[in-house]
Structure formats: C-alpha cells, structure tokens
Amino acid sequence: MTTHDVTLVVLDMAGTTVADDGLVELAFAAAARSQGVETGSPEHTAMLAHVRATMGESKISVFRHLFGDEDRAQAANLAFEAAYDSLVDEGRCEALPGAAEAIAELRGRGLKVVLTTGFARTTQDRILDALGWQSVADLTLCPADAGRGRPYPDMVLTALLRTRTDSVRQIAVAGDTGYDMLTGARAGASVVAGVLTGAHDEARLRADGATHVLGSIAELPAVLLG
C-alpha cells in the first residue's frame, strides 16, 4: 500500500496545526503553582523537564505521574485548563502557517481529516472556536472521546471507527511529538509523519516511529497526494 492509498488523516493540534508558542509551559507553571510548586524552583525545573519529554500525552496522565495523587492531579489539571483557556481568550492562539490550507486540500481531494489533542474537550473546543475551526475537519477527538490519550492508539482507532475507514493501513498520522509517532505506529498507520514545528526534534521523532519528517504540516499534502 502506498501513501496514495491513504483515506484518513489524523492530525495533532498544538505544535502541529496550531502554534504552541510556549502556552503549554505557561499553563503548566500555573498548574504547578496551584499545587505549591513555585516557578523556577528545583522541583518545578524537574517537573518541566518531564512535561517537555512527554509533550503530546494526555495532560491528566502527566499530572498523575507528577503528583502521584488523584485529587492533586485533578486539581492541577483544572488549573492547567483554566490557565490555557485564559491564554486562548487573550488571543494567544493561532494556526500554524499553511495548516488550514493543507487540511482544506486533503479534504478537497476526498480524504477524511480528524484533529486530535491531549487537552480536555473544553480546551479543545475553545481553541477551535478561537480559530474559527469548528468545521475545518471531519471530526475532532480528545482522550475522553476514545478511552486513553497518547501514546496509546485509542484516538487514531476511534477516528478509524467513526469515519468508517476500512483499514489501519489507510491511515496517516501527523504530529510534532514522539508520543504522536508512537500513537501512529501502535495504531498501524502506514504514514507516521513528524513535523518540526513543535516540541521534539527529528531524532526523537524517528526514534519513536516516524516514517517521514517534514518541516511543517504544509508539506503533508504533497506526501499523501503526490
């Protein structure tokens, strides 16, 4: 099966189609402060290293690892969402160059496009609203819609089921993190494309299963459509 047999494209949001511009780290700092971890402290520095390494993972999973207590994890997650939502409301959210055009080109050629995120549904919807992207894709999914977030394959496989795609080999997955690559590989996607507009470098993306590494999502239509 070639890249031209792809019929479903599953795209990450922050860092892949939507500019992150440090918003995740700013929101994390607020979440950490809500749990008594001051910005710039050794504890914060260690936690931030984990956040950077696990970019793309469901945020509640990250907080469970960091705080080791469900109540604290849930409280941190709520603080994170509130901080991120405020940043979006301040106009700090914009599409990456060429992202909307790439999605439109793929859909215009008959491919289904699904946008996925590690954020909660409320945050995902806020981003989509801020960009005017409510109808930009065929479907949008967050971890709660699928069962587990990245690096598990659940969101990609949910996209397959909801779009009635016939085979995992007809799927292309694109993202900016190693966890996106693991998700695509574990789901059996024939194309697992890393983009260099977000969290992780080419070495990390390839180590975690990238079949292609692109400068940006704008290059994806040429890979899939020829």
Side-chain angles (χ1 to χ4, degrees):
M1 184 170 284
T2 70
T3 57
H4 302 294
D5 296 313
V6 167
T7 62
L8 171 62
V9 185
V10 181
L11 303 177
D12 171 53
M13 291 179 64
T16 302
T17 55
V18 180
D20 172 58
D21 196 27
L23 300 190
V24 167
E25 293 190 11
L26 287 171
F28 167 71
R33 284 195 301 273
S34 79
Q35 297 305 304
V37 179
E38 289 304 316
T39 303
S41 67
E43 188 179 7
H44 177 267
T45 300
M47 287 185 170
L48 183 58
H50 179 77
V51 169
R52 288 171 174 166
T54 58
M55 281 289 191
E57 185 178 359
S58 170
K59 292 297 170 281
I60 185 61
S61 297
V62 174
F63 290 128
R64 283 174 178 142
H65 173 86
L66 290 176
F67 295 110
D69 175 88
E70 185 65 19
D71 289 341
R72 292 187 75 197
Q74 292 290 346
N77 195 53
L78 287 173
F80 175 91
E81 290 173 14
Y84 199 97
D85 290 351
S86 294
L87 292 166
V88 172
D89 291 346
E90 291 168 11
R92 299 280 298 274
C93 180
E94 59 184 20
L96 280 164
E101 294 81 359
I103 293 169
E105 184 175 356
L106 293 168
R107 294 183 75 195
R109 294 284 290 273
L111 281 69
K112 300 287 188 183
V113 176
V114 177
L115 292 176
T116 63
T117 184
F119 297 143
R121 167 56 65 183
T122 53
T123 301
Q124 184 178 33
D125 285 344
R126 209 177 203 101
I127 294 168
L128 294 168
D129 289 345
L131 298 176
W133 273 18
Q134 298 92 338
S135 302
V136 74
D138 294 279
L139 179 67
T140 63
L141 294 172
C142 68
D145 297 322
R148 297 173 297 179
R150 308 181 192 107
Y152 300 102
D154 301 28
M155 285 195 290
V156 175
L157 297 177
T158 298
L160 174 143
L161 293 170
R162 298 241 188 128
T163 59
R164 297 183 179 273
T165 299
D166 293 339
S167 168
V168 294
R169 304 304 294 165
Q170 293 174 303
I171 302 174
V173 171
D176 66 300
T177 71
Y179 276 27
D180 290 305
M181 304 301 95
L182 287 170
T183 293
R186 290 174 176 181
S190 61
V191 174
V192 182
V195 297
L196 299 175
T197 50
H200 294 153
D201 61 14
E202 180 169 359
R204 170 71 184 270
L205 295 171
R206 291 200 181 279
D208 285 340
T211 60
H212 300 70
V213 176
L214 312 176
S216 78
I217 202 66
E219 299 174 18
L220 187 62
V223 172
L224 300 181
L225 302 173

